[in-house]
Amino acid sequence: MGSKNKLKRFKENETFPNVIQPTRQEVTNGFVYQGNWKAHFKNDHPIVLELGCGKGEYTIGLAKRNPHKNFIGIDIKGARFWRGAKTALEEELSNVAFLRTQIELVDLLFGKNEVSEIWITFPDPQIKYKRTKHRMTNAAFLEKYKRILEPQGLMHLKTDSEFMHGYTLGLLHGMGLDVIYANHDVYKNEGSPKDVLEIQTFYENQYLEKGKPITYIQFRIH
């Protein structure tokens, strides 16, 4: 994407009512919507997050299927989620928002038990050992998710990375957490949830064309 295109998208994002772009200082000094997202959505419907949302395909796809839930796509790359934000406005999806911020701040963006579900879709697996702290399912991140999830809140991890799948499963078992469903090739094995099979991201389509298996884990943190 050319820099002119990026700048155009950044400028458009600033005009979109469904895009929120707080500074790091605004987040760390007491974020205006923390514990009060109903003020943005003007309802108290359950909140579902997509972390590292990219173009926002899951945020949009889930929002269309579940009009009585609110969906928030979070990513630091505003030029990417511009597409999802624009689609949501064009299709009048009032239950969609996009938040441009770092995911490690997630527990400062939402109040205790404010979130009902979290989707992590095709994250960078950060395979090198020294990158462990950046893995979005490491123990520190799981602790942040636990703080904002309601007690029976669900986590979803969908990835093309066998490494990330195995790492996460091992960690969950080691911590004694509830693995509800795990599948290392969702399109070959029966029983995968519809939301996993019927919503596909831009990158997922590329992986499928190359014949890469797509993995999925659904779990709870308690």
Side-chain angles (χ1 to χ4, degrees), residues 158-201:
K158 188 178 183 184
T159 174
D160 66 304
S161 168
E162 282 285 353
F163 169 81
M164 187 74 169
H165 182 77
Y167 165 81
T168 304
L169 267 184
L171 193 64
L172 296 175
H173 287 310
M175 294 171 75
L177 298 179
D178 298 334
V179 176
I180 299 160
Y181 182 86
N183 192 326
H184 64 89
D185 194 342
V186 294
Y187 294 103
K188 288 230 173 110
N189 298 319
E190 288 182 14
S192 298
K194 277 191 173 184
D195 288 346
V196 176
L197 299 175
E198 294 177 8
I199 303 173
Q200 293 178 353
T201 73

Side-chain angles (χ1 to χ4, degrees), residues 21-37:
Q21 305 187 86
T23 63
R24 195 178 181 98
Q25 195 173 6
E26 284 171 336
V27 173
T28 53
N29 287 352
F31 182 52
V32 62
Y33 289 127
Q34 187 185 26
N36 191 34
W37 276 93

Side-chain angles (χ1 to χ4, degrees), residues 38-67:
K38 61 186 175 189
H40 173 79
F41 287 107
K42 299 183 174 46
N43 62 54
D44 57 1
H45 296 165
I47 292 171
V48 182
L49 309 183
E50 183 190 5
L51 304 182
C53 66
K55 295 171 186 284
E57 296 99 335
Y58 252 83
T59 302
I60 296 293
L62 290 168
K64 285 180 179 177
R65 289 164 174 260
N66 302 280

Side-chain angles (χ1 to χ4, degrees), residues 187 200 203-214:
Y187 294 103
Q200 293 178 353
Y203 294 107
E204 182 175 357
N205 282 316
Q206 291 186 335
Y207 302 142
L208 289 170
E209 280 175 20
K210 292 175 185 169
K212 282 186 98 172
I214 305 300

Side-chain angles (χ1 to χ4, degrees), residues 70-136:
N70 297 322
F71 294 85
I72 303 172
I74 303 179
D75 208 303
I76 195 60
K77 295 190 173 168
R80 276 194 194 160
F81 70 56
W82 165 88
R83 180 62 268 168
K86 197 170 175 73
T87 298
L89 292 174
E90 288 167 350
E91 300 191 12
E92 298 181 357
L93 297 171
S94 59
N95 61 333
V96 172
F98 287 90
L99 186 52
R100 183 172 183 250
T101 189
Q102 290 95 348
I103 287 159
E104 63 263 26
L105 302 176
V106 72
D107 54 330
L108 301 176
L109 297 160
F110 300 91
K112 185 175 169 59
N113 306 146
E114 191 175 18
V115 174
S116 67
E117 291 183 51
I118 296 175
W119 284 80
I120 302 173
T121 50
F122 301 94
D124 184 333
Q126 308 285 4
I127 289 172
K128 289 183 180 172
Y129 179 73
K130 65 180 180 183
R131 302 290 297 171
T132 304
K133 66 179 181 181
H134 298 290
R135 268 178 226 147
M136 285 174 60

Side-chain angles (χ1 to χ4, degrees), residues 4-30:
K4 272 189 183 173
N5 242 346
K6 270 191 179 174
L7 286 173
K8 187 183 168 201
R9 290 181 176 191
F10 286 142
K11 279 214 162 73
E12 268 199 82
N13 278 347
E14 287 171 13
T15 70
F16 290 165
N18 60 357
V19 171
I20 300 150
Q21 305 187 86
T23 63
R24 195 178 181 98
Q25 195 173 6
E26 284 171 336
V27 173
T28 53
N29 287 352

